[in-house]
Amino acid sequence: MKIRISDDALAIACGADAVARAFIQAGSEVERVSSWGMHWLEPLVDIEGAGFANVTADQVDAILSGNAESIGKIAEHPFLTRQSRLTFARAGKTRPISLDDYYASEGWLGLAKARAIGAEATIETVLASGLRGRGGAGFPAGIKWKTVASAQSDIKYIVCNADEGDSATFADRTVMEGDPFMLIEGMAIAALAVGAHKGYVYIRSEYPHAIAKMESAIAVSAHLVAPFVVEVRVGAGAYVCGEETSLLNSLEGKRGEVRAKPPLPALEGLFGKPTVVNNVLTLAAIPWILTHGGDAYASYGMGRSKGTMPVQLAGNVKYGGLFEVGFGITLGELVNDIGGGTESGRPVRCVQVGGPLGAYIPPSQFDLPFDYEAFAAADALIGHAGITVFDDTVDMAQMARFAMEFCAVESCGKCTPCRLGSTRGVETLDQIISGKNVEANLALLGDLSETMKFGSLCALGGFTPYPVMSAITHFPEDFR
């Protein structure tokens, strides 16, 4: 009887290693696999498809003797059956560093297809898919690739942005820890399409498990993607290095500081050469697109938001985890139906989508469809699709202050609106919270937010007004 237990960082943090050791000591064969993404059930033990949730080491004997309660067939769990798993089709099923497992589950078919049809047809397939960048403004991936492909240069690069620093986000980590070959294959396809010889995966230093998995996977698969070469680089912890030009500076050994645009990285990127900068989820979607076709991918989603999005549910939520679904599902469905509402059992007061710089969205707007244009129209952003849930005990004035303080701490200092505006914002919010000249200071904060939004060089300063002004707009009682 084979016991399957995830070696994902979250599962390990919940005690999965101790559970695995207990099964081994009991004489069982244990296989460490990727995570299903149902984080509230970890450690989740899989025995011939049946699941046992929140297992501790002292429950192992009961499980082996048939005296423990199962949650039933894992693959039939409602949290999974409601998903459209394309990028995460292998999640929970394969060993992360097993080439055999990857080959057996459509691995390397996308790269083989790209090699067969050539660079130009590969880019056309990505364009047809409608795939947009999965980490920021949602820029079409195919257009970026086409720009790099047409640039005249003997050296080009593929840079994978794995500096996943937003709150409530863990999809990048889940890919790198659970299905690293998929990311490598996506990068190799991108390299073939644009004519790049070298790729870098820029991983935040807080992800030691992901770093180790990626390095192992790169070594094992190097001969399969040659002559393309992939290398891991580790960031030093600056949030602003999630912005593509700051990331490029960091890769070059410089201070992580935003570059002015133009020139665009697609034309003058890493070391001044044409560079594709995509995040993990964007590149990880590529193998499926090449294997099944651009039109098949575009059949998911709504409007200009094509394909699926791995939504991450976290914060004060009952069923936290990763839920991959086509664009168009409403925010209310994600929070209440999929997430089960709050873990505390109290009413949901708001959610923040898109990390610490995302807008706070109240339940009155939970009919908002998960769509780039719909969110933009509501002065919100999808970003990396992390959803942080808050119950009715949250103080929104303090959350607004946190957003400004976060920007002040993380600012690279390149531009005045971000560098000084965030500091002045914290001071102004402190005045408001203490009850001093509230109306005048709220007006001042609004003007300051406008300046930061339209005057900052990058999204760090430019998006900070979203959480601040949304908190004031939807929860004015917390500021007066």
Side-chain angles (χ1 to χ4, degrees):
M1 183 169 59
K2 187 176 293 184
I3 312 295
R4 296 160 68 86
I5 304 172
S6 173
D7 64 355
D8 173 87
L10 183 138
I12 292 172
C14 292
D17 283 352
V19 173
R21 285 194 296 270
F23 274 109
I24 293 170
Q25 289 168 2
S28 299
E29 180 185 354
V30 174
E31 192 171 79
R32 303 305 294 269
V33 294
S34 52
S35 170
W36 286 97
M38 298 189 289
H39 292 161
W40 79 96
L41 298 178
E42 294 290 1
L44 178 60
V45 173
D46 178 350
I47 302 180
E48 297 178 356
F52 298 85
N54 307 125
V55 177
T56 57
D58 58 7
Q59 295 174 317
V60 167
D61 288 341
I63 292 173
L64 292 175
S65 62
N67 294 316
E69 185 176 354
S70 167
I71 63 170
K73 292 291 185 181
I74 297 175
E76 297 174 2
H77 194 285
F79 190 83
L80 295 176
T81 58
R82 293 184 64 176
Q83 297 187 43
S84 298
R85 289 205 158 182
L86 308 184
T87 302
F88 286 89
R90 281 177 286 270
K93 304 174 183 178
T94 57
R95 293 168 292 177
I97 312 297
S98 169
L99 279 175
D100 289 341
D101 285 10
Y102 192 66
Y103 269 117
S105 52
E106 296 191 344
W108 309 114
L109 293 183
L111 180 57
K113 178 71 173 296
R115 285 170 172 166
I117 65 176
E120 186 175 345
T122 296
I123 293 176
E124 290 303 317
T125 301
V126 176
L127 284 167
S129 74
L131 177 68
R132 296 166 69 172
R134 295 293 190 244
F139 188 81
I143 293 177
K144 184 180 288 189
W145 287 22
K146 195 168 187 176
T147 303
V148 175
S150 61
Q152 298 301 308
S153 177
D154 56 339
I155 297 176
K156 298 177 183 180
Y157 295 102
I158 306 297
V159 171
C160 175
N161 181 350
D163 192 57
E164 186 176 51
D166 284 346
S167 49
T169 57
F170 43 83
D172 288 1
R173 177 187 61 75
T174 304
V175 168
M176 292 186 288
E177 292 182 6
D179 204 354
F181 295 126
M182 175 174 60
L183 176 56
I184 294 168
E185 184 179 6
M187 293 180 69
I189 293 169
L192 183 151
V194 305
H197 75 292
K198 184 75 180 280
Y200 293 93
V201 186
Y202 186 93
I203 308 178
R204 61 185 309 210
S205 59
E206 295 90 341
Y207 280 178
H209 296 85
I211 293 166
K213 287 281 184 65
M214 285 304 304
E215 289 179 338
S216 296
I218 288 168
V220 170
S221 63
H223 64 291
L224 297 171
V225 299
F228 181 60
V229 177
V230 183
E231 182 179 329
V232 169
R233 290 288 178 89
V234 179
Y239 178 81
V240 76
C241 285
E243 192 278 333
E244 62 179 3
T245 62
S246 293
L247 185 154
L248 293 175
N249 272 347
S250 181
L251 274 175
E252 292 177 5
K254 301 172 184 174
R255 174 176 175 160
E257 190 175 71
V258 176
R259 298 177 184 177
K261 298 177 187 177
L264 297 172
L267 299 175
E268 293 183 32
L270 186 64
F271 304 116
K273 301 297 183 180
T275 304
V276 170
V277 184
N278 284 142
N279 82 334
V280 171
L281 292 181
T282 310
L283 291 163
I286 296 297
W288 194 96
I289 290 170
L290 264 294
T291 300
H292 297 273
D295 291 340
Y297 191 79
S299 68
Y300 294 86
M302 67 174 284
R304 291 175 53 210
S305 300
K306 303 293 188 182
T308 62
M309 187 69 178
V311 178
Q312 300 122 92
L313 297 167
N316 189 345
V317 65
K318 190 172 183 180
Y319 305 129
L322 187 146
F323 191 89
E324 184 178 359
V325 66
F327 284 97
I329 188 171
T330 67
L331 193 53
E333 288 178 270
L334 288 166
V335 175
N336 295 317
D337 298 346
I338 308 302
T342 65
E343 171 66 21
S344 64
R346 299 182 66 90
V348 175
R349 191 176 192 202
C350 68
V351 298
Q352 187 177 33
V353 184
L357 308 181
Y360 291 103
I361 303 174
S364 61
Q365 293 186 334
F366 276 11
D367 60 345
L368 193 64
F370 221 69
D371 165 79
Y372 287 109
E373 280 66 45
F375 265 63
D379 277 335
L381 60 132
I382 287 178
H384 201 51
I387 300 178
T388 306
V389 181
F390 298 87
D391 71 12
D392 61 355
T393 63
V394 66
D395 184 332
M396 298 309 298
Q398 290 295 336
M399 297 310 297
R401 185 190 187 281
F402 170 77
M404 278 293 186
E405 184 181 34
F406 180 85
C407 182
V409 170
E410 296 292 344
S411 175
C412 75
K414 178 84 170 185
C415 66
T416 302
C418 179
R419 183 182 68 249
L420 296 184
S422 54
T423 300
R424 298 289 86 84
V426 173
E427 294 170 354
T428 305
L429 277 161
D430 282 341
Q431 293 284 311
I432 292 168
I433 291 168
S434 66
K436 297 179 181 177
N437 301 318
V438 173
E439 296 305 324
N441 278 316
L442 282 171
L444 178 61
L445 190 62
D447 289 343
L448 179 62
S449 292
E450 283 289 296
T451 301
M452 293 180 66
K453 184 176 180 179
F454 295 106
S456 298
L457 272 177
C458 83
L460 177 55
F463 282 171
T464 295
Y466 280 81
V468 175
M469 296 311 298
S470 63
I472 294 171
T473 299
H474 299 301
F475 309 98
E477 64 275 15
D478 286 17
F479 294 83
R480 293 177 172 88

